Amino acid sequence: MPVNPQPFAAIVGAENVVGAPSELRTYECDGLTGTRVTPALVVLPATTREVSRCVKLARDLGMPIVARGAGTGLSGGAVPSAGCLVVGLSRMKAILEIDVANERVRVQPGVVNLDVSRALAPLGYYYAPDPSSQSVCSIGGNVAENAGGAHCLKYGFTVNHALGATLVLADGSVTEIGGPVLDCLGYDLMAAVVGSEGMLGIVTEVWLRVLRLPEKTRTIFATFATTGQAGDAVSAIVARGIVPAAVEMMDGLAIEAIVSATGVDWPLDAGAALLIDVDGIAAEVEETAHETIALMTACGAIEVRSPHDDEQRALMWKGRKGAFAAMGRISPNYYVQDGVIPRKEIAAVLREIAELASTSGLRVANVFHAGDGNLHPLVLYDARVAGEEELAERVGGEILRICIDHGGSITGEHGVGLDKAVYMSELFTDDDLETMNMLRCAFDPERALNPGKVFPTPRLCGDRPGPFALTSFERDGVAGRG
Amino acid sequence: MTDRTLVPQTAAEAAASLQACANERTSLAFEGGGTHTIGRRDRDGVVLSTRGLRRIVEYVPEDQTVTVEAGVTFAELSRVLAERGQRLAVDVAEPDRSTIGGAIAANAFGPRRMRFGSFKDLILGVGLVRADGVPVRAGGKVVKNVAGFDLSKLMVGSHGTLALVTSATLRVHPLPQATRAVRLTGLAPDAVWELVLEMRSRHLEPVAVSALGRASASSRYDADVAFEGFPAGVDSQTACVFEIARERGWSVEAVDPASARDGDARARTAGPLRVRGTVLPSDFAAIDALAIAPLAACLDDPSVCAYPALGIFFVAGKPKMPQRAFDAVANARACIESGGGSLVVEDAPRMPAEIEPWGTPPPSIRLMREIKARFDPEGRIRSGAFVGGL
Ligand SMILES: Cc1cc2nc3c(=O)[nH]c(=O)nc-3n(C[C@H](O)[C@H](O)[C@H](O)COP(=O)(O)OP(=O)(O)OC[C@H]3O[C@@H](n4cnc5c(N)ncnc54)[C@H](O)[C@@H]3O)c2cc1C
C-alpha cells in the first residue's frame, strides 16, 4: 500500500523524502546484495528532532522503521522490512564537538568513520576502531554493529570507544544514554545499545573516546609457506606477552587477489602472509618489532619486510583493506563470511575450511583478523552458473558450524542481521534468546524497529516468556520474523 | 519469611534456589564477598551467597581468556593466572574477599582502568540465572563476538538487581615484564591535571595515575604514576616523568609499585563515610575546590584518592559532625551533578534519609525501569536498592 509522502515532507522537506520506485531501489539492500526488499518510503532527516517526528508519524501509520547509515553492512542489517520507513542518516554528518583535553568527540551518526580521524589528525588524535570499510561506513552503523577492525586487537571495538548517545526510541521519544563522563548512574544502556543492530533505537548523536596518535608505529609483513605456520607465529607472539596493534592474516589466494587488484609487490608463491602493526612509545616499539620479527622467523617466515617509510606502510595496509574488493579480480562473485574461533584453533579450522572448499568445488580465500581469531573466509563463486550461489551460501553456513564446533561465534563484527538469524539457535538456547528479547522489549515493546533481524523466530513482548500468537502486525505481513 | 542464606554449590543448584524463591515469591539479594554492596541491605528476604560457586571452569592461556564461577575470589584467580604469566587487569582493594561475580555486579575497578578499561571492556560472556530461575547464557568465550545482544555488559554495574551472575568469561592480560612507579609529591590539583596532559603530549602511556591527598584546606596531592611493559619502555617513560617534574620544580622519586598500589587500596577502604565521584576529567581542579576539599574538611583523618585521567575520585573519613558532613555530601553532589557527573555514597554510618546512595537518576531512568520490569517483573531481587528505586 503506498504511503503518502506529504506529511513526511512537511517534516524533512520534500527534497529529503524518497518515494519514487526507481529511487527507492538504492535502499533495497546493504552490502549483502542478495537480499532485497523495497521500502515504502525513505526519509533523510537532518536533526534529532526530525528523526523523532518521522518516527512518531511512521508509528501512527503502523509502519515498521529501519535505520540506515551508509549501507555497507554485510549481514542485511539495513535491508528494509516490507512496508517500512527507512530513516537514512546520511545527511547528519557533522562533528559537533571536539574536546581534546578529555579525549572525547561528539558526532552525528552519519559521519564517516575515517572523517573522525581525519578531523583529529592535526590535533594528534584519532578514533581507533578502523573497519576496512572505514572510508565509507558511518559511525551510527558502527555503533549498531559494534564494528571492529584490524587495530581493535590492542585498542578494542566500538563498544570500548562509544561512551554515550542520543537515542530516538521506537515511540519517537528522545533520550540521552551514557555520556562524556564515565559511569553514568544505573544500568549501562550504552553497552546494551552498541551492537544492537538498530533494534533498540535510532542513534542521532554519539560521544566517542578518541586516542592520542601513537608516537611510533612499525609495520611488519612476513610470508610463510602455510597458514599453519603463520598461525603458529601469531600464537608465539601473543604468548610472549606482545600485544601488537594489529595482526592480519592472508592466505595464498587472498594474496593473489590483492596483488592483482592493488599492485603491491607481495610474493605470489607464499601460502600465507601476516601483516602486523606494533605501536606505542618509540623506546618500546623498536624492541617489540625486533622480537616480533625474531619470533616469526623462528616459526618459519620466508621473507620479512619492515619498511621505515610511511608510504610503504600505507601501501601495505591499502592492500589489506582492499582485500574484499580485490576478490573481483579472481572471481565474478564472492560471499564474505564472518566467524570467530579461539585463536589457538586457527590452524585446525583453516584446514577444515580448506577440506570443505575442496569437497564443494568452490574456492575459499581467507583474509582475517588473526590476532582475535576473527575469520573472514571469502567463498568465491560465479552467479551465472546455475546453483553456485546457493552452494556458496551453503558453504558459508558450514563454515559457521565449524566455528561453533570449535567454541567460537557466528559473527565477530558484521552482525547477525537477516543473514545469520537462522544460526542464532545453533549458538543460543531458546531461553537465551528470550532473555535478549526482554531487553529489546524494554526499549521497543511493539518491535517496530528493524523487525525481522537477529532473532530466528518471532517473539512477542509478553510480560513473561510463554507461547505466543501472531499479531495483526504479522498476519498482515507488515512486520515479519523477529 | 525467615532470614535464610542459601549457598548453592553449582550453577544448577543456584537455578533451583532461584526457582524455589520464584515459586514462593520470596525477595532475595545476592552476595559475593560482601565488599561492594552499596545501599540498603535487605533484611527481610533470602540471601543467596555465591561463595559455593568457586570453580575455574576453563582457562585457555593461549587465548588469554578464562571462564570462572561467580564466587571465585580475585586472589584465587590471580594465583591460577600467574602460573601462566597472566593476570586479570582489574585492581580491587580486598582481593582475598572480593569475588569476580560481586566485582562485575559492582563494576569494581582500580587505577589501572586507565589502560585496561573496566569489566565492561574485559567481560566476554556470562552465565546467568534469571529471577524466574531460568539459567541462560549471553556473549561467548571468544575475544570478539557480536552475535545477539550482549547482556554480559549490561550486568556490569547492575548491582545484583537484574539477574544472578553464576559465571563469566573474561579477557586476561600477560603479566608485564617490568613495572615502575614514580611519585610526585605535594602537587596542587591543577598541577595533577597538568601532569596528565603533559604525559599525554609526550606520548607516555602510564597504566595508572592515582593522586592521593589529604585534602585539607591546602589540597595537595601525591601523584603516583605507574608504567608496565618491557624494561626499555618503562625505563624511558620513567625518565621522562622525572624530566617533566624537574622542568616544573616538582619533587619526584621512584617508588615501589606495590607501595603505590597499597596506598591506593588504603585510601579506598578507609571509612566509615565513603563517597565516589565521577566528573569530566578536565574539571578535576575545579571539583577539588568546590566539592572535594569542603567535604574532606568535614572529616577526621580524611583520605582522598583520585584517578585524574578518568575523572574519578574517592573521599573517605570519619565525619566530625555528621550533619555537617552530610550537608557537604549534598553540596558536592549538587555541584558535580550540575556538570554532568555523579556522586555515589558507597558507605555511610547512619545516613539520613535525604542522602540516598545514588543521587539523581539520569534521564534514561525510564528505560532502566522497563529493563528491570522485564527481568524482574515481581520486583523480588534487591528491588529498590539501586538508582531511582530500581
Ligand atoms: C568492503 C567492506 C569491508 C568491511 N570491513 C569491516 C570491518 O573490517 N569491520 C567491521 O566491523 N565491519 C566491516 N564491514 C561491514 C560494515 O562496514 C560495518 O558493519 C559498518 O559498521 C556498517 O556501517 P553503515 O553505516 O554502512 O551501516 P548500515 O549498513 O547502513 O547499517 C548497519 C546496521 O546499523 C543500523 N544503523 C545504521 N545507522 C544507525 C543509527 N544511526 N542508529 C541505529 N541503527 C543504525 C542499521 O539499521 C543496520 O542494522 C565491511 C563492509 C564492507 C562492504
Side-chain angles (χ1 to χ4, degrees), chain B residues 317-341:
Chain B
K318 184 171 182 304
K320 290 176 187 158
M321 298 195 329
Q323 193 53 48
R324 288 271 290 281
F326 294 136
D327 288 347
V329 168
N331 287 338
R333 177 175 280 164
C335 155
I336 287 168
E337 286 184 351
S338 72

Side-chain angles (χ1 to χ4, degrees), chain A residues 96 103-109 127 139-140 143-144 158-168 175-184 187-194 202-210, chain B residues 120 364:
Chain A
L96 300 167
E103 305 185 301
R104 314 270 194 266
V105 300
R106 187 163 58 94
V107 303
Q108 287 189 320
Y127 176 61
I139 293 293
V143 168
T158 305
V159 70
N160 309 112
H161 298 267
L163 300 172
T166 302
L167 200 62
V168 174
T175 188
E176 311 273 325
I177 59 172
V181 179
L182 295 179
D183 299 339
C184 177
Y187 301 136
D188 190 344
L189 299 182
M190 195 58 194
V193 164
V194 176
I202 300 182
V203 172
T204 58
E205 273 184 28
V206 193
W207 278 105
L208 299 174
R209 188 167 75 99
V210 296
Chain B
K120 171 185 176 175
S364 52

Side-chain angles (χ1 to χ4, degrees), chain B residues 139-275:
Chain B
K141 288 186 173 175
V142 280
V143 296
K144 191 172 185 183
N145 183 11
V146 295
F149 300 160
D150 191 348
L151 300 174
S152 54
K153 294 183 176 60
L154 186 67
M155 293 301 134
V156 175
S158 64
H159 289 268
T161 60
L162 290 177
L164 173 70
V165 175
T166 51
S167 65
T169 301
L170 302 165
R171 189 176 189 150
V172 297
H173 284 86
L175 279 166
Q177 290 197 343
T179 307
R180 305 275 184 274
V182 181
R183 178 168 300 160
L184 299 101
T185 45
L187 300 190
D190 52 354
V192 171
W193 180 237
E194 185 185 344
L195 169 67
V196 170
L197 292 181
E198 187 58 29
M199 288 196 293
R200 204 193 279 161
S201 88
R202 297 193 192 201
H203 291 281
L204 303 194
E205 298 178 352
V207 291
V209 180
S210 57
L212 299 183
R214 294 267 148 128
S216 52
S218 61
S219 277
R220 294 283 153 167
Y221 287 89
D222 294 347
D224 287 344
V225 180
F227 297 101
E228 294 178 353
F230 295 97
V234 294
D235 285 336
S236 86
Q237 296 190 87
T238 308
C240 197
V241 176
F242 271 86
E243 199 178 297
I244 292 172
R246 241 192 330 271
E247 285 169 15
R248 286 165 181 74
W250 295 339
S251 68
V252 57
E253 58 180 336
V255 289
D256 173 11
S259 93
R261 270 201 302 280
D262 288 349
D264 185 89
R266 253 199 320 282
R268 292 195 40 192
T269 49
L273 176 69
R274 279 192 294 134
V275 307

Side-chain angles (χ1 to χ4, degrees), chain A residues 160 187 240 343 409 427, chain B residues 63 121 130 137 145 161 177:
Chain A
N160 309 112
Y187 301 136
R240 183 73 184 74
R343 196 159 34 207
S409 171
L427 200 57
Chain B
D63 279 303
D121 305 291
R130 294 194 321 219
R137 248 171 6 92
N145 183 11
T161 60
Q177 290 197 343

